[in-house]
Amino acid sequence: MVLRFSARSGVAAIGFFVLCTSIAVPARADNPPYNIKDGKVDIHVYNGYRRYGDSCMRCHGPDGAGSSYAPDLTNSLKHLSEDQVKETIINGRQNLANGQDKVMPSFGTVADVVNYLDDIYAYLKARSDGKLPRGRPERYDDN
Ligand code: HEC
């Protein structure tokens, strides 16, 4: 009887613990690399948007939404880590399997890209998280 009681309270304790961590973990993970206030973006996201337009859009399409040649990055960033995204940008990637001839160029020596990896990531992450609609964003810190 005593044993059963403590087993049950043990389960309750574990349940409580799981409940707490499941609340706490998303809160900790919820630390986005972008700031958006009233639909307006910080200077980093804005810069990322511009760099994306200069270096990535011709393959990945407007707003990161993908093209017939290169993947939809708003989708890719849902399953790739920040490190994986940056690694792919720096080293590029070739997909020559199954008769494919798709090439993601390496941007490791392109200063306009490697110096702003955080900004490009922030922009794409905001798009991927559904926090930023398509099109040219407005900046909130206009200075
Ligand atoms: C010349 C065309 C081209 C340009 C320019 C280009 N990419 Fe790519 N990118 C590709 C292709 C093609 C792939 C898919 C390669 C594969 O199938 O493995 C890809 C893959 C990626 C991936 C991995 C996606 C996934 O789901 O695994 C990321 C992230 C990425 N590109 C980001 C960028 C960023 C950011 C830029 C601009 C700095 C950029 N790309 C510029 C063609 C391009």
Side-chain angles (χ1 to χ4, degrees):
M1 199 62 196
V2 171
L3 193 71
R4 239 187 243 154
F5 176 73
S6 61
R8 219 178 282 146
S9 54
V11 168
I14 290 168
F16 183 66
F17 178 75
V18 168
L19 185 71
C20 290
T21 42
S22 64
I23 293 167
V25 167
R28 269 203 306 273
D30 189 21
N31 189 12
Y34 49 80
N35 288 299
I36 299 177
K37 293 180 194 162
D38 300 328
K40 296 184 180 180
V41 303
D42 65 21
I43 192 166
H44 298 288
V45 173
Y46 188 77
N47 186 42
Y49 160 79
R50 287 190 46 227
R51 305 285 162 191
Y52 176 87
D54 288 347
S55 300
C56 323
M57 190 174 82
R58 69 178 189 270
C59 289
H60 289 278
D63 314 308
S67 71
S68 55
Y69 184 74
D72 176 345
L73 295 178
T74 67
N75 190 36
S76 297
L77 266 74
K78 289 183 169 56
H79 57 83
L80 295 178
S81 70
E82 181 170 353
D83 284 350
Q84 286 173 318
V85 170
K86 290 180 177 175
E87 191 274 337
T88 305
I89 298 171
I90 291 169
N91 295 324
R93 197 196 294 163
Q94 289 200 15
N95 180 1
L96 305 177
N98 306 318
Q100 297 254 28
D101 58 353
K102 299 191 168 173
V103 177
M104 158 84 189
S106 152
F107 285 91
T109 58
V110 182
D112 277 348
V113 171
V114 282
N115 290 343
Y116 305 106
L117 281 181
D118 286 344
D119 291 359
I120 293 170
Y121 181 79
Y123 164 67
L124 289 173
K125 190 66 179 161
R127 288 278 305 125
S128 176
D129 286 352
K131 297 287 164 49
L132 189 61
R134 298 190 68 148
R136 184 190 196 90
E138 245 186 282
R139 266 170 55 183
Y140 64 71
D141 50 349
D142 244 333
N143 50 41

